Amino acid sequence: MLRETFLATLCASTLITAATPVFAAPVQELESEQGTLEVTTITKGLEHPWSLAFLPDRKGMLVTERPGNLRVVSVDGKLSGPIDGVPKVWAKGQGGLLDVMLSPDFRQDRTVYLSYAEGGGAGDKAGTAVGRGQLSEDLKTLKDFKVIFRQEPKLSVGNHFGSRLVFDRDGYLFITLGENNDRPTAQDLDKLQGKVVRIYPDGNVPDDNPFVGQAGVRPEIWSYGQRNPQGAALNPWTGVLWENEHGPQGGDELNIIERGKNYGWPLATHGINYSGNPIPEAKGKAAEGTVGPHHVWEKSPGLSGMTFYDGDRFNAWQHNVFIGALVSQELIRLQFDGDRVVHEERLLGELKARIRDVRQGPDGYLYVLTDEDDGALYKLGLK
């Protein structure tokens, strides 16, 4: 049933118009390897925006702001006031309102999923939570919001929450979870730190998850040994979840997530502590029983949101992956031979802004959020 619903939604999404919004907006032209890149400013004045999701029928985009607001940006760049009904968030450090995702069956159920930092842990600590509510027709209220998942225990003092939300082709919900800057917990299967989890849309746990029925192991876990995965997307050609994560000082990773696998942190890493000292638990760049990174950056760009490009508008970008970079303040474009990275290009360095999220829009353009006090939403295309 989940698969049928998801496929029906995919068919419905093709009805979304691919027409480009026409309105007066600043446009920059920047050079790239594929030709002239046109960068259109959709809106500014966002407070540390974190994620966006496209509403059907050209009704704009939902955008999260880390301090706790969910807003609508119209196709002509108008910014709404905060939507009512959003849960209270723990807005400290890297915590706050994080990812937003529409239900695969949004046209029928109008359900919106949010991930966010939730307080209540001992010593004012926090963890990642995920909930869902129904968006009103006037786009002003998120009704009947209910938490469906909580990271346990709550260990963060402001670091490493993750957290991206991804539905797969069968309608299962994946959630990426940081290890709250508590390294050993990424290897502890009785905790939800440093994990990718897989649940039903209502929060229940599928019986075929890899650790279901094992004593002392959280059944939600799909994979473990993650550090701080702030980017994730479903490969549209294979249906497999891909994820990226921050290393410490160096060692950012791109991973292909497999059922039940251990991705190594902190036993294996290409990075070191910010102090310059080695990671105490690390056995080197590889460790027995763990999966090495699919691709690694020895110098950390500070990876964040990511998207696969499968649109028809710009053939030069077909089968490319785009990843936001916070530290290097760029948009990274990756080219592939099969699944192997064969080339990398850095874009948007001229903006001098932290790139928090990137999504392919229904019109075939890329949309990029900058994580700043005065954050912006940009539309990218090739001239």
Side-chain angles (χ1 to χ4, degrees), residues 19-269:
T20 305
V22 179
F23 58 95
V27 179
Q28 300 180 61
E29 293 189 353
L30 306 174
E31 292 308 309
S32 78
E33 293 176 358
Q34 278 80 27
T36 300
L37 186 67
E38 292 188 320
V39 183
T40 304
T41 304
I42 302 297
T43 194
K44 289 189 173 182
L46 295 162
E47 187 176 3
H48 292 282
W50 211 91
S51 180
L52 73 153
F54 297 95
L55 294 166
D57 304 321
R58 288 176 47 78
K59 290 186 177 179
M61 291 152 276
L62 294 177
V63 175
T64 58
E65 293 176 308
R66 200 171 69 236
N69 293 325
L70 178 65
R71 299 181 186 271
V72 177
V73 179
S74 69
V75 293
D76 60 357
K78 293 178 182 178
L79 183 62
S80 79
I83 293 174
D84 292 331
V86 173
K88 181 181 178 181
V89 305
W90 193 86
K92 300 178 183 180
Q94 297 169 2
L97 186 58
L98 304 173
D99 210 3
V100 57
M101 177 68 67
L102 302 188
S103 161
D105 204 17
F106 178 81
R107 286 178 178 273
Q108 284 69 48
D109 61 27
R110 301 197 62 79
T111 299
V112 174
Y113 290 79
L114 298 173
S115 70
Y116 58 99
E118 180 186 57
D124 191 31
K125 293 182 180 179
T128 301
V130 177
R132 63 181 185 173
Q134 283 68 52
L135 184 64
S136 61
E137 292 285 349
D138 63 7
L139 310 182
K140 293 183 178 180
T141 305
L142 194 61
K143 298 181 290 186
D144 302 323
F145 189 86
K146 180 182 178 182
V147 176
I148 63 166
F149 171 85
R150 286 186 166 98
Q151 185 182 39
E152 295 175 343
K154 298 179 189 296
L155 298 177
S156 180
V157 296
N159 303 102
H160 300 189
F161 292 93
S163 59
R164 293 290 173 183
L165 306 175
V166 178
F167 281 100
D168 74 2
R169 290 175 175 174
D170 295 317
Y172 294 105
L173 177 60
F174 289 97
I175 308 167
T176 70
L177 300 168
E179 34 74 294
N180 297 162
N181 203 26
D182 190 339
R183 292 188 299 266
T185 61
Q187 293 294 319
D188 293 342
L189 294 180
D190 62 341
K191 300 179 179 65
L192 292 175
Q193 277 69 27
K195 310 298 190 296
V196 173
V197 302
R198 174 182 180 253
I199 59 175
Y200 284 116
D202 63 1
N204 287 318
V205 178
D207 291 338
D208 61 347
N209 272 9
F211 301 107
V212 167
Q214 295 189 26
V217 180
R218 296 295 305 226
E220 303 96 328
I221 296 172
W222 186 255
S223 68
Y224 63 107
Q226 273 89 16
R227 184 175 183 268
N228 189 21
Q230 293 191 28
L234 200 72
N235 184 316
W237 303 285
T238 66
V240 175
L241 180 69
W242 289 40
E243 162 258 89
N244 69 60
E245 58 187 84
H246 289 261
Q249 184 169 314
D252 285 14
E253 298 179 4
L254 177 66
N255 294 305
I256 300 176
I257 302 302
E258 297 181 64
R259 182 182 188 274
K261 293 298 180 67
N262 180 356
Y263 287 82
W265 178 255
L267 305 178
T269 178

